């Protein structure tokens, strides 16, 4: 059974600081997805990582994938309050593009 | 603007009622999914469909059924609602390749009383 683990589960950080969220998964997969969820809202796609070594960046967020280590990271640079949300990683198990989601990392950026 | 539309944002139903949650996508996607989201448990897959009239059980199908009569519409049915089905329900769709990931609907918060 595929397990997807994120850490930390909760992260409180000050504006301007850097931090990394980690996503580990238990079986072979070459695709990984990151989503953002604002309170009371649905999930919004952030990054799609389709191969080993893939790196994507958007604004203050950068995601990378190491399929050999079964690890993806979401790096936050110089955090701002608007980045406060819950971030999910998800791994493709191959069956009809079925995704298994991590438990999420709730990020709170304080002023 | 491409969309996945869920028919209700909030729903309150009584125990034992039959409940229909509707989801429609306009992206011509082959795959459609129903998840439920609960605090501390993340997103759990209930059912998915990769073609019209096809369906597959996810991780927690008990107490649910689905219907996909047309490509754009995927319905989740709670045969006899129970209080432990109070949750946020999220519908999503994707292309076969899933190169762009899922597009999610806005969610339905269902309360069973």
């Amino acid at each position: 059974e595929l397990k997807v683990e994120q850490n930390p589960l909760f992260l409180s950080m000050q504006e301007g600081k850097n931090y990394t969220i980690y996503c580990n998964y238990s079986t072979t997969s070459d695709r990984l997805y990151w989503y953002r969820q604002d309170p009371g809202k649905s999930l919004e796609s952030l990054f799609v990582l389709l191969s080993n070594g893939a790196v994507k960046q958007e604004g203050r967020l950068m995601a990378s994938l190491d399929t050999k280590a079964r690890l993806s990271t979401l790096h936050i640079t110089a955090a701002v309050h608007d980045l406060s949300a819950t971030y999910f990683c998800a791994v493709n198990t191959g069956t009809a593009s079925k995704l298994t989601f991590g438990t999420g990392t709730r990020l709170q950026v304080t002023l | 603007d491409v969309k996945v539309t869920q028919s209700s944002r909030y729903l309150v139903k009584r125990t034992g009622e039959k409940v229909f949650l509707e989801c429609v996508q306009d992206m011509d996607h082959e795959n459609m999914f129903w998840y439920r989201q609960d605090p501390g448990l993340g997103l759990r897959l209930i059912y998915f469909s990769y073609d019209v009239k096809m369906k597959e059980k996810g991780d927690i199908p008990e107490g649910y059924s689905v219907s996909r009569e047309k490509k754009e519409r995927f319905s989740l049915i709670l045969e006899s609602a129970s209080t432990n089905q109070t949750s946020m329900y999220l519908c999503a769709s994707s292309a076969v390749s899933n190169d762009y990931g899922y597009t999610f609907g806005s969610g339905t918060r269902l309360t069973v009383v």
Side-chain angles (χ1 to χ4, degrees):
Chain A
E1 180 191 342
L2 173 61
K3 290 192 187 303
V4 182
E5 294 182 345
Q6 289 181 236
N7 69 82
L9 298 182
F10 178 73
L11 174 58
S12 180
M13 56 190 297
Q14 287 183 318
E15 275 202 335
K17 300 291 187 183
N18 303 334
Y19 209 82
T20 300
I21 298 170
Y22 297 89
C23 173
N24 290 89
Y25 54 97
S26 61
T27 64
T28 302
S29 177
D30 60 358
R31 289 170 169 236
L32 191 132
Y33 306 79
W34 283 96
Y35 291 86
R36 168 182 171 143
Q37 185 178 37
D38 292 303
K41 300 287 180 67
S42 190
L43 278 75
E44 170 191 352
S45 180
L46 286 176
F47 299 111
V48 179
L49 303 169
L50 298 178
S51 61
N52 185 43
V55 177
K56 294 277 184 76
Q57 182 163 6
E58 179 77 29
R60 301 174 188 274
L61 299 177
M62 183 173 73
S64 65
L65 177 61
D66 181 344
T67 58
K68 292 177 183 174
R70 297 178 185 171
L71 171 68
S72 178
T73 60
L74 181 65
H75 186 71
I76 303 150
T77 302
V80 293
H81 182 67
D82 284 352
L83 290 179
S84 297
T86 299
Y87 294 86
F88 291 91
C89 64
V91 176
N92 191 359
T93 60
T95 304
S97 306
K98 191 173 73 164
L99 295 184
T100 298
F101 285 81
T103 48
T105 296
R106 185 172 156 229
L107 171 66
Q108 183 177 68
V109 181
T110 56
L111 297 169
Chain B
D1 198 17
V2 294
K3 272 189 181 174
V4 176
T5 302
Q6 293 184 232
S7 54
S8 303
R9 189 78 178 90
Y10 298 96
L11 213 50
V12 180
K13 295 291 182 180
R14 294 193 181 278
T15 302
E17 276 193 81
K18 191 169 186 176
V19 182
F20 293 85
L21 302 183
E22 305 287 346
C23 176
V24 177
Q25 51 99 359
D26 65 1
M27 294 167 286
D28 202 34
H29 281 166
E30 292 80 6
N31 301 327
M32 295 188 77
F33 307 85
W34 276 106
Y35 286 84
R36 64 177 282 179
Q37 184 178 22
D38 301 287
L41 297 177
L43 279 80
R44 293 179 291 166
L45 181 63
I46 306 171
Y47 267 97
F48 62 101
S49 168
Y50 51 87
D51 202 351
V52 176
K53 297 192 186 293
M54 305 300 286
K55 59 186 178 185
E56 295 277 347
K57 291 180 181 179
D59 300 318
I60 52 163
E62 296 78 19
Y64 303 94
S65 62
V66 289
S67 171
R68 193 166 182 201
E69 295 297 317
K70 293 185 177 181
K71 189 176 184 180
E72 66 270 19
R73 186 181 297 269
F74 192 36
S75 303
L76 180 69
I77 304 153
L78 286 67
E79 297 291 343
S80 177
S82 64
T83 54
N84 63 13
Q85 292 178 310
T86 292
S87 185
M88 169 71 94
Y89 290 87
L90 295 168
C91 175
S93 72
S94 78
V96 170
S97 65
N98 206 18
D99 286 349
Y100 300 98
Y102 290 2
T103 300
F104 279 90
S106 55
T108 296
R109 183 163 293 282
L110 172 67
T111 302
V112 182
V113 297

